[in-house]
Amino acid sequence: MRSQDLVDSSLVTGAAAGPVRVGRTRVAVIGAGPAGLIVANLLRKAGVDCVVLERHTRAHVEQRARAGLIEPRVVEMLRRFGLADRLLRMADAHTTCEFRIDGRRHEINYSAAHGGRRHYVYPQQELVTDLVAAFLDAGGDLRFQAADVRPHGLDTDRPWVTYVDGATGETTRLDCDFVAGCDGFHGVSRASVPAGALTEHSHEHGIGWLSVLAEAPPSTKAIIYALHPDGFAGHMLRSSTVSRFYLQCPVGDSVDNWPDERVWAELHKRLALRDEDWTLTEGPIIEKRVLDMRSFVVEPMSYGRLYLAGDAAHIITPVGGKGMNLAAHDAERLAEALVAHYEGSDALLHDYSATCLRRVWRSQEFCQWMTEVIHASRDAGSSFRQRLAVARLEHLLTSPAAAAVFAENYLGQD
Ligand code: RFL
C-alpha cells in the first residue's frame, strides 16, 4: 500500500519548501508511545495499513522510564494479540499494596477483594521495546526522527500529514484516511484542532512530586503509600534492580533543591516504621524530576478524521497508576473502531470518544480520591483534610465493601 513519489513541493498544500515525497497509507499514527504502538500493532494484525511517525529515535523511546503498573485487563488484551510473551515471562504479579500512617503499616490485599485478579509490574520502556519489535518484525512502517509533524485537512475525508525526515531533511506528505493522534500531552495532534472545537477540563492539584528513579532493589514486596506530616512518600516497584520513589514537594520546586543526600534522608524519615525493623535500600539515583500534579481531559476525543488516544486526550495524576492503562484502553478501542470502519461499520468510530471518556472519568474520580487521601498534610495549620483522610483510610481498612470498591478501581474495570 505504501507508495512514495518525488514531486515538487509547490503541488503540496501546507508543506515546507523543497522537494517533497508523497506517500499514502490508511491510518497515520502520530507518536510511538504505548497508545500509538498498540493502535499500530492491532491495525497491522487486522491487515489495516498504517504508518507511525515518531519524533524521537528508537533508542530514546525504548529507554524512557515512566509507568510500571499494568492492569490485568490490559495484560489480557496484549496476550490476546500475541504482544505479551516477554511481559508474562518477566513481569511480577502484584496482589497487595501498603499504606503507612503514623509509622504503622496497613496492608490491603486488593486481589483477594476482587476475585484474585492481579496487577503486573513491568516498566513502560520494556513494553514499548516489545511493541516496537513486534510491529517492525511484522513488517510495520515506523519512521523515527520524524520532525515537524503536522496534520492537515482533518475536517475533510482526505486528511494528510507532513513531516521532515530528521536524517535526510526531506519533507514527506503522507495522504491517509484517518489520523490517530497518540503524541502525548504536548504533541501536535490536539494542538492542530481549531480553537473552540474541543472542550478542555483541567485541574491543578496544588501538589508537587519529586519523582526519583534509583538503581536500588525494591525494599518492599508491595507498593507503599506513606502519609507523613512532612508530606507523602511513595515507594513504587519497577524491577529487581530499579525502584521509583516519590516525595511530595512544593509546586514548581526545583531538582536543584534535592541533592541525593536530602532525597534519601526524606525517604528514610517519611517511610520509617515505628515498631518494626524495616530497611530502605539506597542506590545510585539515575533520574530526578519534579511533577506538578495536574489532571486534564479533552472532550470529545476526536475532531473530523483525527482521533486522539492516551495522554494526547487526557492526563491523570500518577497516584493510581492509570495513565498507561488508559492509553492502552483508548488504543484498543480506536484500533477496533478503525478495523470496523474498513469492514463497513462506523458505529464504533461514532461511539469511540464516549466509550473512552466513561473509563477516563471513572479513573479521574478514583485518582482524585487517592490524591486527597495521601496528601492529607498539604494544608499546613489545618487538620480538617488530615482527619478526613484518616477517616477514609479507616473505612478502607475495616470495611470489606470499601475494600472491594478500592480493588475494582485500582485493578481497573473489565
Ligand atoms: P506518550 O508515552 O507520551 O507517547 C507519546 C509519543 O509521541 C511522541 N511525540 C511525537 N511524535 C511525533 N511528532 C510530534 N509532534 C510528537 N510529540 C510527541 C513522543 O516522543 C512519544 O513517543 O503517550 P501515550 O502513548 O499516550 O502513553 C501515556 C503514558 O506514557 C503515560 O500516561 C504514563 O507514562 C503515565 N504514568 C503512569 N501511568 C501508569 O499507568 N502507571 C504508572 O505507574 C505511571 N507512572 C507516569 C508514571 C508518567 C510519568 N511521567 C514522567 C509523566 C510516572 C511518571 C514519572
Side-chain angles (χ1 to χ4, degrees):
M1 291 284 287
R2 180 180 162 192
S3 69
Q4 294 227 324
D5 303 297
L6 206 54
V7 300
D8 188 281
S9 63
S10 58
L11 302 174
V12 182
T13 324
V20 174
R21 283 190 180 276
V22 177
R24 162 133 197 98
T25 187
R26 282 177 158 178
V27 183
V29 180
I30 307 180
L37 290 167
I38 292 173
V39 169
N41 272 288
L42 269 49
L43 288 177
R44 176 121 203 115
K45 283 179 187 290
V48 174
D49 184 48
C50 66
V51 173
V52 184
L53 302 173
E54 164 59 48
R55 78 164 158 203
H56 287 296
T57 61
R58 180 173 182 175
H60 181 96
V61 301
E62 290 184 348
Q63 282 160 25
R64 200 167 37 195
R66 287 182 170 179
L69 202 57
I70 311 190
E71 294 175 355
R73 69 160 299 284
V74 173
V75 174
E76 175 50 27
M77 180 270 287
L78 294 169
R79 194 198 57 74
R80 221 169 45 244
F81 287 101
L83 298 168
D85 293 357
R86 199 163 75 100
L87 184 159
L88 289 169
R89 272 203 317 276
M90 313 281 286
D92 277 337
H94 279 256
T95 54
T96 62
C97 66
E98 183 181 314
F99 287 91
R100 292 191 176 181
I101 317 159
D102 261 347
R104 298 215 161 79
R105 47 198 219 100
H106 307 270
E107 187 182 270
I108 296 192
N109 188 331
Y110 55 80
S111 176
H114 201 50
R117 298 165 83 249
R118 304 175 301 173
H119 268 135
Y120 289 79
V121 172
Y122 192 58
Q124 180 167 328
Q125 68 274 23
E126 299 297 333
L127 179 62
V128 164
T129 300
D130 297 349
L131 293 169
V132 167
F135 187 63
L136 293 177
D137 290 351
D141 187 345
L142 203 175
R143 305 179 191 179
F144 290 104
Q145 291 181 278
D148 198 18
V149 174
R150 290 190 214 181
H152 309 267
L154 295 172
D155 54 354
T156 72
D157 55 9
R158 289 271 163 221
W160 72 98
V161 179
T162 54
Y163 70 94
V164 178
D165 184 314
T168 63
E170 213 168 56
T171 299
T172 293
R173 168 182 166 138
L174 191 60
D175 293 324
C176 54
D177 302 331
F178 295 97
V179 178
C182 306
D183 47 352
F185 183 64
H186 299 287
V188 67
S189 299
R190 197 181 67 252
S192 303
V193 175
L198 305 177
T199 302
E200 297 186 350
H201 306 276
S202 145
H203 180 63
E204 304 286 340
H205 295 262
I207 299 166
W209 270 13
L210 179 77
S211 164
V212 174
L213 203 59
E215 278 174 351
S219 306
T220 173
K221 289 195 163 43
I223 289 177
I224 303 172
Y225 302 97
L227 284 67
H228 189 275
D230 294 344
F232 165 75
H235 182 340
M236 311 290 149
L237 299 152
R238 288 297 180 263
S239 71
S240 58
T241 53
V242 172
S243 300
R244 189 179 281 287
F245 299 96
Y246 293 120
L247 283 165
Q248 185 181 342
C249 65
V251 170
D253 204 353
S254 162
V255 289
D256 299 341
N257 295 330
W258 290 92
D260 294 2
E261 312 73 62
R262 183 178 175 211
V263 170
W264 291 115
E266 284 295 317
L267 285 171
H268 278 288
K269 182 176 70 184
R270 298 187 197 181
L271 291 168
L273 288 176
R274 251 206 264 169
D275 307 319
E276 271 181 69
D277 280 343
W278 177 75
T279 312
L280 173 64
T281 308
E282 299 185 11
I285 291 178
I286 50 177
E287 184 195 288
K288 257 186 254 176
R289 61 161 77 191
V290 171
L291 309 172
D292 291 337
M293 294 290 118
R294 178 201 281 161
S295 303
F296 174 89
V297 181
V298 77
E299 293 188 296
M301 288 170 51
S302 62
Y303 171 76
R305 287 289 181 114
L306 169 71
Y307 289 84
L308 300 170
D311 280 15
H314 41 75
I315 49 168
I316 191 160
T317 65
V319 175
K322 292 293 171 193
M324 181 166 67
N325 293 295
L326 287 174
H329 178 259
D330 292 352
E332 183 190 3
R333 297 284 81 80
L334 181 53
E336 82 183 353
L338 290 166
V339 171
H341 166 85
Y342 290 106
E343 290 169 354
S345 168
D346 277 342
L348 293 179
L349 270 183
H350 178 267
D351 292 346
Y352 168 72
S353 177
T355 304
C356 293
L357 285 168
R358 268 195 294 282
R359 179 172 291 263
V360 168
W361 281 111
R362 177 82 238 109
S363 299
Q364 291 285 8
E365 193 281 326
F366 172 63
C367 290
Q368 176 73 18
W369 179 89
M370 284 273 283
T371 303
E372 290 289 327
V373 167
I374 66 176
H375 298 97
S377 64
R378 78 175 125 143
D379 291 345
S382 161
S383 51
F384 187 75
R385 266 186 216 273
Q386 294 169 35
R387 294 298 297 117
L388 276 187
V390 171
R392 282 172 170 153
L393 279 176
E394 272 174 8
H395 186 214
L396 175 61
L397 296 165
T398 55
S399 155
V405 171
F406 174 82
E408 182 189 66
N409 281 319
Y410 197 47
L411 281 159
Q413 293 154 290
D414 284 332

